[in-house]
Structures are given as structure tokens and as C-alpha cells.
């Protein structure tokens, strides 16, 4: 094996190449109001939506979408961008969502709870993310009396959210852990700490694209700070494991790994059509390539491309709905164009590896 | 489906995109001399070699290789370039080969027969090829008395070559026939006419790279002209079938076919290593792409690249023997560089296909 260059090592050890996004969510309910699944009074539900919308728009610009009138296509679009949850449809008759213009904040109304405040950010900064959403929570609490118990804390529709109502989630890109099948060992360890690991697209989903979400399971009996600190420590441990596994994978798999990455890049930049599933797999290889210093490219741009290539987002990009087949063609064409623009730092590398014979 | 452009149609119907090479071979034996498998007298064998070599070198420059002193690496090199046959090794103690400087002529001495004169050329021109080798045959006949029978014609070691001693072979690139599994129907038809179809690398070989060789089985009872005409007519029929199948494949498989070709091109131009077998498969896709007008490239250049990427030829190119693993790396690197230089006529095509939604 050739020795890795310095630029490559630093790239490999960059936390940005492992931690994708941080999400903080607070669950709140309106005092003396039935939970959404039993909230028959549509006018009462709407009043809450209007109240929250008015309050938030005082501070910054939010778009309000009522679920009952939102076209399916638009629902899929927001869902693919992680701005709304699956559960929000269930109470479609009364539910709504407020989305900030930069899409960093989404406040879901009448999901499982009356109010679910979410903040998303790039990278790992749980404290900053929490402060941002806590500020928003304070604003809402000024106009809406929350359902709160001195002993239990915030009351929620489901007991798993009781207490702080806080869920801190970090999305991690773990190609080495996934490919070396290490998650089976890590997951029970995290569970022991009161944390869960899920695939990228929520509960029950596979680890498509080597993405995993680590979040706290327990919301009760710990302070907000304790939860944040628990998640952060667990994330840092997993990040370190991933970086170690990447180094090992590179040492053991050297040119096979480079080959896999370059083949996926070759297919993505040349193919005529590609479906969602294969696209995710190949993009994961390319992201791995970026993290190994093989390409000049930002993980954020690649993640944005992945989101943009999901079905409803692709339709939006195209300006009109596409058949599944044409979506695969458009995906190949669009992503190919973007990726062809990415600079390969490889020719020297290929020769270097080869001359190492 | 979008309508194929004119340039593409003409490209698709070009016979050069189906017929790769023509080979004419004459089998001759020295009168009153035991056939090579029973030729114990090494000095007698050598005398024949020297005689033929001296005569041919009067006309043009030939390189003479004695098999008994030729290194294995060099034997593989010549074998991969189709200049010598497998059978030539069997009598390695006495056998030799004369190769013209442009490699269009190879005269094998003490293969199955004493003298096997071969001429190779690009494209389909059996008459011209035959005239070329007949001229050479006349030369040799001036100094060597051939084993000839007034009734039977030229006598040969194996009765299948008796009579004219002529084998006319045409190498065809038949990706559509192969992929649509039509060869099983064609082969018996050809057999009925006294013709055989073989894989690219001789008897018993698979159709690696969608290459097939059509040649006459019968050498007795027909004149040279009749044999050439028989092979030519059969070849033209198969060429027409192939072109028809290509059109059909393109109509039915449209973007799937383009996708397959472009993916193979993407892998070839990006991968870090590739073995012989996969290389052949992917190159066949690229050649199909050229024949469909997707790339600007000549079949001849691609065929030369395929030969250059065979193991012994790669070693030669590298200047020193490579391990199997490093050969795969070098192949990927070398072929990738050549193919990246090939002009894709595709961006318009992709958009055209896509806008046909």
C-alpha cells in the first residue's frame, strides 16, 4: 500500500465527513385540549395553527401549509426534505406545518402532539441547535399555555416523549461501519445508554446510503443538558469508530476500495438512467470517495443532491411530474452533470498506487 | 423512441461495424516428407524452415521465430495476436513461424502441416486476401515440391484440410445476435452449408466479446473460388441479420441499450482495475456503442486496444512482466486513458431521448 498523503489524512479525519446533520425536536401540547388523535373540533385545531403561525411570523418568515388542502405531490416533496413526518398525514384533516424560508425550522401542528418544533443544522452542534429551538419554544409558550406537570414535565400524547419532550438526533454517514457490518455490535451498546439507531428514513427503514440516525430514546428523568451531552458523547464515540474502521478498510482494501468508488462515480457520470435505490448506493460510494480525499467536493453538496434526486423533488426540479421511468432518466442526466463537474484528485493517485507494484 | 439521426443510421448499417477481419489460410506439405507429428529428423525440419524463410525474405521482410528457443512470454504474445496457433507448440521441437513486419502474414512451419500460410486483413475482402496468399504460395511452391494428388488435390495431415487446403475465416462482431440468443438458430444453418461458427479464440472457445468466426469446414470437392464465394454469401447473410437485430434491439430496448453501453464506458474510463473477462464484456458494449453512433471511434482502434490489453501484450507494453493483479490495474489505467480520449456524441442524444417523454 502507498502511504496516504497529508491532505488525504486530514480529509479522512474530518468530522464533517461523518456527521451529516443535527436535528433537535421539542414536543409540546396545548393545555386542556384533547390530543390530535382525539381532537374533533376542527375550529379549535385551526385556531392553534393560526396562533402559532402568527406568533412565529412576527420574528421571521414562515410558510404555512395546511395538510388537508396540500396536494400529494407537495406532501411527498416536504416529506423527502424531512420537513414533515409520516404521522402528520394521519391527522390530515386538522394538521399543518410551518417551514422557515431556509428550511432549517419546521413546526408541525397536530402531528402526534399539538406542536412539534424542529430545528435542523449541518454538522454536530447539539447545544447551538437546542438554543435555537428553545428560543422558538419560548416564543410559542408566550401565547400558548403548554400542558405541563410539575413532577413529570411536559405532557405528551405518547409516554416516550414525556418530560423534556426533547429528541436530539444526529445523522451519521457510516460507510465503513456499515460495510464491515459493525452496526450489530454498536446498536445494543447504544440501547443500553438509552439511545437508538435508525436508518436514514426513520423507524424501520434500512440503512440506505450508509446513513444512520442516533437519537435519545429517553426523555424523562434527565435534564435537556444531560440528554444533549449523552447524545453528543455517543455520537463522538461512533464517529471515532467510523474513522478507525475507514482507516482499517483503506489499509486492508486499498485499491479495491478505490476501484469501488471510481466505478460508482463512472456509472453515475455516464449512465442513462438510474433508480432511487441504486443512486443512493452509488452516491454513498462517491461520498466515501470524498471522505477518502479522492474527489474535491463537499458532503453538503452531495447530500443536497441526494435530496434533490428523490422522486417528488425531481418532479419539482423538472417543473412537471415525471413517470417513474423518465424520473430515472432525468436523475441520471441531472446528477451526472453535477458530478462530472466534481474535480477528481485521482490521476496522480492511480499512478501512485500502480507504481507501488 | 426518438428517430435515429442520419449519421447514426449510416453508422448502424456500416459493414465495418460487423465484419472485423478476414483470414485466409492455406495448408501445404512437403512431398515425401513425414508429417510434423512423425517428423523425427530435426535437421530436415530445419531445412524446410530455412528454405521458406530465405525465399520469403527475398520479397519482403519476415521475422523468424523458432519455437524451441522462444520464451513462453513471447509465445503468449504471438498467440494473443493470433499469429500462431495452439498446435504450433505441440511440435515445438521443430516448429517455427515467419511473421511479416506489418503482421498481416504469418507462415507457420511444422504445425499440423509443414506449411500453413496465413493472411489477415481488416474488413471483408476474401478475394483480395486469397490473391495475396496465393501469390505467397506460388513463391514457396517454386522452391518446395508440395505433396499433391491429381484427384484429391493438396494432401494434408488431417483429411478435413484435404483438397484446396484453404480455410477462409471471417471474424464478425455480433452483439445483437449474441444478446438476443439467435446464434443457436444460425449455427445449424451454416453447418448445413458446410460452414462452422466458432468463438473468437478458436475451437471450443466462448463467444467472448460477442465475436464469432465463420469459416468453411469443407476444403475438398469445391474450387477455391467456390469456397470463397460460399463463405462470403454466408457472411453477408449473417451481417444482414445482425444489422436487422441491432435495429430491432434499438427499437425495443432503446434507452436500456444506451444505458448499458454508457455504464460500461463509465466503468472502463473510471475503474481502478479490471480483469480480462470483464474488460472484453465492457469493450463489447463500447463497440456496440460505436456501431450505434454513440461514440466517434474506429472499430479497428478498439480491436487493437483489446489485443493490446491481453496479458502478454500488456506485459510487453509495460516493458516488464506484471503480476495478474497489477495487470488488471495497468489495463484499467491504460484502456481508461485511451477511452477517455474517445469523443462521445451523447449529450444531445441523452437530452433528445429524455425530451421524448
Amino acid at each position: 500500500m502507498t502511504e496516504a498523503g497529508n491532505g488525504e489524512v486530514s480529509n479522512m479525519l474530518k468530522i464533517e465527513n461523518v456527521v451529516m446533520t443535527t436535528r433537535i425536536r421539542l414536543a409540546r401540547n396545548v393545555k386542556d385540549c384533547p390530543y390530535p388523535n382525539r381532537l374533533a373540533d376542527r375550529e379549535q385545531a385551526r385556531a392553534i395553527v393560526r396562533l402559532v403561525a402568527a406568533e412565529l411570523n412576527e420574528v421571521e418568515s414562515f410558510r404555512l401549509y395546511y395538510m388537508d388542502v396540500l396536494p400529494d405531490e407537495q406532501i411527498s416533496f416536504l416529506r423527502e426534505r424531512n420537513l414533515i413526518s409520516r404521522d402528520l398525514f394521519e391527522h390530515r384533516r386538522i394538521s399543518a406545518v410551518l417551514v422557515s424560508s431556509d428550511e432549517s425550522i419546521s413546526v408541525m401542528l397536530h402531528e402526534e402532539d399539538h406542536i412539534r418544533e424542529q430545528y435542523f443544522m449541518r454538522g454536530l452542534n447539539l447545544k447551538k441547535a437546542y438554543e435555537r429551538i428553545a428560543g422558538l419554544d419560548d416564543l410559542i409558550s408566550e401565547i400558548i399555555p403548554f400542558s405541563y406537570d410539575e413532577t413529570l414535565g411536559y405532557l405528551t400524547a405518547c409516554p416516550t416523549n414525556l418530560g423534556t419532550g426533547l429528541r436530539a438526533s444526529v445523522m451519521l454517514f457510516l460507510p465503513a461501519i456499515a460495510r464491515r457490518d459493525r452496526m450489530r455490535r454498536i446498536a445494543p451498546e447504544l440501547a443500553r445508554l438509552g439511545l437508538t439507531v435508525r436508518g436514514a428514513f426513520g423507524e424501520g427503514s434500512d440503512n440506505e446510503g450508509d446513513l444512520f440516525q442516533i437519537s435519545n430514546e429517553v426523555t424523562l428523568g434527565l435534564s435537556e443538558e444531560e440528554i444533549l451531552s449523552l447524545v453528543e458523547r455517543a455520537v463522538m464515540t461512533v464517529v471515532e469508530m467510523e474513522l478507525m474502521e475507514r482507516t482499517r478498510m483503506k489499509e486492508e482494501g486499498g485499491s479495491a476500495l478505490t476501484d469501488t468508488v471510481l466505478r460508482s462515480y463512472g456509472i453515475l457520470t455516464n449512465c442513462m438512467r438510474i433508480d432511487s435505490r441504486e443512486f443512493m448506493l452509488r452516491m454513498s460510494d462517491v461520498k466515501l470517495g470524498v471522505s477518502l480525499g479522492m474527489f474535491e467536493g463537499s458532503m453538503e453538496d452531495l447530500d443536497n443532491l441526494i435530496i434533490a434526486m428523490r422522486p417528488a423533488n425531481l418532479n419539482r426540479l423538472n417543473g412537471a411530474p415525471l413517470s417513474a421511468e423518465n424520473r430515472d432518466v432525468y436523475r441520471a442526466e441531472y446528477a451526472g452533470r453535477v458530478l462530472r463537474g466534481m474535480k477528481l484528485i485521482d490521476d496522480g493517485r492511480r499512478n501512485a498506487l500502480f507504481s507501488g507494484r
Side-chain angles (χ1 to χ4, degrees), chain A:
Chain A
M1 278 313 323
T2 47
E3 204 55 44
N6 278 338
E8 184 184 313
V9 164
S10 64
N11 213 9
M12 270 190 74
L13 299 180
K14 267 187 194 161
I15 187 172
E16 303 95 276
N17 291 333
V18 184
V19 177
M20 303 284 101
T21 50
T22 294
R23 181 180 72 121
I24 295 284
R25 182 266 282 163
L26 293 176
R28 300 290 183 254
N29 285 282
V30 181
K31 202 178 170 180
D32 301 328
C33 175
Y35 289 123
N37 64 341
R38 287 179 295 115
L39 182 52
D41 186 344
R42 205 172 171 191
E43 202 29 59
Q44 189 182 3
R46 278 286 146 96
I48 295 169
V49 171
R50 278 194 298 265
L51 216 55
V52 174
E55 179 69 8
L56 292 186
N57 273 303
E58 296 256 317
V59 191
E60 68 177 271
S61 166
F62 280 81
R63 288 194 70 156
L64 172 62
Y65 303 96
Y66 284 105
M67 286 298 124
D68 58 346
V69 292
L70 206 61
D72 287 344
E73 182 65 22
Q74 176 75 359
I75 289 174
S76 303
F77 177 80
L78 295 172
R79 178 86 189 91
E80 287 170 5
R81 303 183 77 78
N82 286 317
L83 294 167
I84 60 175
S85 68
R86 217 178 306 175
D87 282 355
L88 199 67
F89 314 145
E90 293 209 2
H91 312 133
R92 196 166 172 172
R93 200 179 58 90
I94 53 170
S95 65
V97 65
L98 283 156
V99 178
S100 70
S101 53
D102 64 355
E103 296 188 351
S104 69
I105 298 171
S106 121
V107 179
M108 291 190 283
L109 297 151
H110 310 311
E111 203 242 24
E112 192 178 278
D113 297 297
H114 293 135
I115 308 171
R116 290 224 166 168
E117 307 152 5
Q118 298 185 94
Y119 177 68
F120 307 91
M121 65 178 289
R122 197 76 204 166
L124 180 67
N125 199 334
L126 288 158
K127 201 161 174 294
K128 189 183 151 199
Y130 176 71
E131 280 163 12
R132 184 81 172 86
I133 207 70
L136 189 113
D137 190 53
D138 286 346
L139 268 180
I140 298 175
S141 73
E142 281 171 22
I143 45 147
I144 288 183
F146 288 149
S147 187
Y148 185 83
D149 177 275
E150 283 301 326
T151 317
L152 293 172
Y154 293 100
L155 302 177
T156 52
C158 174
T160 56
N161 297 311
L162 208 62
T164 55
L166 168 67
R167 178 139 295 146
S169 311
V170 178
M171 184 77 85
L172 298 166
F173 175 56
L174 306 175
I177 284 176
R179 286 156 205 231
R180 295 167 68 88
D181 203 19
R182 295 288 189 271
M183 194 42 93
R184 279 189 299 179
R185 263 197 251 162
I186 298 170
E189 289 292 310
L190 292 173
R192 231 172 29 85
L193 296 168
L195 303 171
T196 13
V197 190
R198 291 188 186 85
F201 302 111
E203 288 176 61
S205 75
D206 278 350
N207 60 321
E208 256 191 23
D210 299 325
L211 292 173
F212 294 89
Q213 191 176 280
I214 293 181
S215 57
N216 60 308
E217 191 61 44
V218 181
T219 52
L220 186 69
L222 292 173
S223 71
E224 281 82 354
E225 289 68 27
E226 284 168 332
I227 292 172
L228 298 178
S229 147
L230 180 68
V231 172
E232 180 158 341
R233 272 180 289 133
V235 164
M236 286 314 296
T237 306
V238 174
V239 166
E240 268 169 47
M241 290 180 63
E242 169 66 18
L243 293 176
M244 229 167 62
E245 293 291 346
R246 282 187 194 175
T247 308
R248 214 170 278 164
M249 190 162 80
K250 202 164 147 50
E251 275 166 14
E252 290 167 16
S255 70
L257 189 62
T258 317
D259 188 49
T260 303
V261 170
L262 289 173
R263 280 167 179 258
S264 281
Y265 179 77
I267 288 171
L268 283 167
T269 51
N270 284 280
C271 71
M272 176 81 197
R273 57 194 199 189
I274 190 161
D275 63 27
S276 257
R277 189 164 182 84
E278 186 191 354
F279 181 72
M280 283 300 287
L281 291 171
R282 306 251 173 244
M283 282 300 287
S284 180
D285 286 339
V286 170
K287 284 172 67 180
L288 182 58
V290 168
S291 79
L292 295 175
M294 291 169 58
F295 304 100
E296 268 178 19
S298 90
M299 288 297 215
E300 186 171 359
D301 289 349
L302 294 175
D303 281 340
N304 288 339
L305 180 62
I306 288 172
I307 291 172
M309 294 298 101
R310 290 185 185 145
N313 276 268
L314 256 186
N315 286 347
R316 176 74 63 98
L317 212 57
N318 181 57
L322 293 159
S323 69
E325 200 186 309
N326 282 328
R327 211 152 46 218
D328 291 349
V329 175
Y330 191 35
R331 181 181 293 114
E333 190 190 318
Y334 188 95
R337 201 161 42 215
V338 171
L339 294 170
R340 280 194 292 275
M342 208 164 77
K343 206 183 150 204
L344 259 127
I345 320 175
D346 88 318
D347 269 319
R349 154 182 308 277
R350 283 202 220 183
N351 294 330
L353 266 170
F354 180 62
S355 66
R357 67 175 175 261

